[in-house]
């Protein structure tokens, strides 16, 4: 199948497919007589695997490592487990940072009411004051 059909089958843009090829996550081995890249069902499966990993917010480097590990089905999966443990910790850290961000935004939002003018806006005043303090 050509790249357009692969894109439709996987709900992935042509640009993304080309990017994954450039990053050597997705391989093409065949070309048509017109020099078009041709893909098979293995490419569909590999692209779906990559998309699922991206949905889990795994980096391209981590996905590349997982794809390499998949080629050694008899090996122990301790590397995969360690990678997931590290990723879980990174997600936990981000969650904590996002909770703090939410609290900052709530405090900022409480500094202004709808009845004020832009000149009196507590949010803009706070942001401006913080901007000057950082200099």
């Amino acid at each position: 199948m050509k790249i357009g059909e692969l894109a439709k089958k996987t709900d992935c843009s042509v640009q993304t497919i080309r990017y994954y090829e450039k990053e050597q996550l997705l391989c093409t081995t065949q070309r048509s007589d017109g020099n078009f890249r041709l893909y098979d069902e293995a490419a569909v499966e590999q692209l779906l695997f990559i998309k699922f990993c991206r949905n889990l917010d795994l980096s391209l480097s981590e996905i590349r490592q997982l794809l390499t590990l998949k080629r050694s089905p008899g090996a122990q999966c301790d590397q995969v487990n360690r990678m997931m443990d590290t990723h879980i910790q990174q997600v936990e850290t981000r969650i904590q940072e996002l909770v703090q961000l939410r609290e900052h935004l709530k405090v900022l939002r409480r500094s202004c009411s709808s009845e004020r003018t832009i000149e009196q806006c507590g949010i803009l005043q706070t942001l401006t004051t913080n901007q000057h303090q950082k200099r």
Side-chain angles (χ1 to χ4, degrees), residues 97-112 123 127:
E97 290 168 350
L98 287 170
V99 167
Q100 289 176 350
L101 174 60
R102 181 183 62 199
E103 293 310 310
H104 285 335
L105 291 170
K106 284 180 176 182
V107 167
L108 192 58
R109 176 59 186 95
R110 286 191 296 268
S111 72
C112 190
I123 295 170
L127 292 172

Side-chain angles (χ1 to χ4, degrees), residues 54-71:
R54 291 298 295 147
N55 286 338
L56 294 173
D57 203 31
L58 292 170
S59 69
L60 296 182
S61 166
E62 290 168 322
I63 296 169
R64 190 174 293 106
Q65 190 175 357
L66 290 173
L67 289 169
T68 300
L69 291 168
K70 274 184 69 171
R71 292 186 205 108

Side-chain angles (χ1 to χ4, degrees), residues 1-6 14 18 21 27-40:
M1 76 188 83
K2 291 182 182 176
I3 197 167
E5 188 178 344
L6 177 63
V14 169
R18 287 189 179 133
E21 287 177 339
C27 302
T28 56
T29 54
Q30 296 180 321
R31 294 242 178 206
S32 70
D33 292 335
N35 205 28
F36 291 103
R37 294 177 180 111
L38 297 175
Y39 302 89
D40 57 13

Side-chain angles (χ1 to χ4, degrees), residues 2-134:
K2 291 182 182 176
I3 197 167
E5 188 178 344
L6 177 63
K8 284 181 185 173
K9 274 190 162 191
T10 59
D11 194 29
C12 196
S13 74
V14 169
Q15 293 86 352
T16 300
I17 294 169
R18 287 189 179 133
Y19 177 71
Y20 289 154
E21 287 177 339
K22 187 180 120 210
E23 292 294 319
Q24 300 176 342
L25 295 173
L26 186 65
C27 302
T28 56
T29 54
Q30 296 180 321
R31 294 242 178 206
S32 70
D33 292 335
N35 205 28
F36 291 103
R37 294 177 180 111
L38 297 175
Y39 302 89
D40 57 13
E41 285 302 314
V44 172
E45 293 301 317
Q46 189 165 3
L47 186 53
L48 291 173
F49 177 84
I50 294 166
K51 278 186 63 176
F52 186 67
C53 289
R54 291 298 295 147
N55 286 338
L56 294 173
D57 203 31
L58 292 170
S59 69
L60 296 182
S61 166
E62 290 168 322
I63 296 169
R64 190 174 293 106
Q65 190 175 357
L66 290 173
L67 289 169
T68 300
L69 291 168
K70 274 184 69 171
R71 292 186 205 108
S72 302
Q76 296 294 312
C77 60
D78 57 328
Q79 284 182 300
V80 177
N81 291 331
R82 280 195 305 272
M83 182 188 300
M84 285 303 112
D85 290 341
T86 299
H87 193 66
I88 290 167
Q89 185 55 51
Q90 291 168 346
V91 168
E92 302 245 353
T93 300
R94 278 193 12 226
I95 289 170
Q96 291 171 356
E97 290 168 350
L98 287 170
V99 167
Q100 289 176 350
L101 174 60
R102 181 183 62 199
E103 293 310 310
H104 285 335
L105 291 170
K106 284 180 176 182
V107 167
L108 192 58
R109 176 59 186 95
R110 286 191 296 268
S111 72
C112 190
S113 66
S114 300
E115 297 86 38
R116 293 182 178 180
T117 65
I118 291 294
E119 184 179 25
Q120 301 166 328
C121 178
I123 295 170
L124 292 175
Q125 289 174 359
T126 301
L127 292 172
T128 302
T129 301
N130 284 338
Q131 176 186 357
H132 291 304
Q133 290 175 353
K134 299 246 182 205

